Amino acid sequence: MSKAPKKFDNDPSTTGHEWDGIEEFNNPLPRWWLWVFYATIVWGIGYTIAYPAWPGISNATAGVMGWSTRAIIAADLKEAEDKLAPINAKLEAAELTEIASDPELGPYAVSAGSAVFKTWCAQCHGSGAAGAKGYPNLLDNDWLWGGDIEAIYTTISHGIRNEDDDDARYSEMPAFGELLEKEEIDQVVNFVMSLSGEAPDPSLVAAGAVVYEDNCSACHMEDGTGDREQGAPNLVDAIWLYGGDYDTLKETVTYSRYGVMPPWSRDASSAGRLTEAQVRAVSAYVHQLGGGE
């Protein structure tokens, strides 16, 4: 049985509750604390009336002041666009080949193109544009569709193998696993590897050359240097988009590859995301990275 606490004459009254012999004094809150508490209630009610506050199904209450962070950002963006409108108009009107030599347009295009690249292109091509497996390196001179600024501009505008733009770059390699015997695939892979290095099985190279001539030379050319008009890769420079080891090349020949790039120009396709000035700027940026021709 718990011992009742000692009481004094000057003790305040209790709340009337008791827990295991423990009673709670009925001390009122300080008046200053109460007034602050009431003030926060009033402030909170006023805030929810004046500003966006209560979430709904599709949006929040707007508030009587009509304040919006999105509207502020939109206004800031509109102000920036208005300031850049003259030079963007000049960029859109300029010949692509003359942008780099223009003392005003050249630096602007590279700076603006860098921002576009980091926002829209770096996810696939890397922040430094060195690419990754299946995503082209933009720093070298190996270009499937051409590396001059006009070719780069066309590729960015319309994309590659997409279904959104009728002018997209398009090529399709057959899945030779459905057309060739397994030994023929082994032979042609050894031949292709011999074009830029050493074949794993040199005894298969001669037979592979015959398979190559019959099935691959129409696109990759007889000497293996490829054809940019068809988007057919160069097979003699030891630069490989998906990898140049035996297993990877065998997989490529057997199943084919089908990389897709979206169209970026709004003018070229409704699916495009970039303005004409932005497409030209990022084209100039990519072209000057070191691999542009």
Side-chain angles (χ1 to χ4, degrees), residues 125 134-136 142-146 154-174 219-220 227-234 241-242 252 255-264 269 271:
H125 294 284
Y135 301 98
D142 195 64
W143 297 87
L144 278 176
W145 303 95
T154 300
T155 299
I156 294 173
S157 295
H158 302 287
I160 297 172
R161 302 186 193 92
N162 62 73
E163 298 180 356
D164 301 313
D165 193 316
D166 293 336
D167 293 321
R169 305 279 204 185
Y170 198 92
S171 64
E172 185 172 1
M173 176 179 170
C219 294
H220 295 284
D227 181 10
R228 287 179 172 179
E229 293 299 320
Q230 303 181 69
N234 184 339
L241 186 57
Y242 292 92
T252 298
Y255 302 106
S256 180
R257 306 287 185 177
Y258 195 81
V260 176
M261 174 180 170
W264 291 103
S269 168

Side-chain angles (χ1 to χ4, degrees), residues 172-257:
E172 185 172 1
M173 176 179 170
F176 283 102
E178 302 173 0
L179 303 173
L180 301 177
E181 300 296 330
K182 290 184 177 180
E183 57 269 23
E184 291 178 308
I185 292 177
D186 289 336
Q187 292 165 356
V188 77
V189 169
N190 274 275
F191 171 74
V192 168
M193 294 186 71
S194 73
L195 294 176
S196 59
E198 185 176 347
D201 190 345
S203 66
L204 299 179
V205 170
V210 176
V211 177
Y212 177 90
E213 182 178 357
D214 293 342
N215 296 275
C216 314
S217 60
C219 294
H220 295 284
M221 303 292 104
E222 293 183 0
D223 58 358
T225 54
D227 181 10
R228 287 179 172 179
E229 293 299 320
Q230 303 181 69
N234 184 339
L235 304 179
V236 303
D237 58 6
I239 298 176
W240 303 97
L241 186 57
Y242 292 92
D245 60 277
Y246 177 82
D247 290 335
T248 301
L249 288 178
K250 184 176 181 179
E251 182 179 352
T252 298
V253 174
T254 302
Y255 302 106
S256 180
R257 306 287 185 177

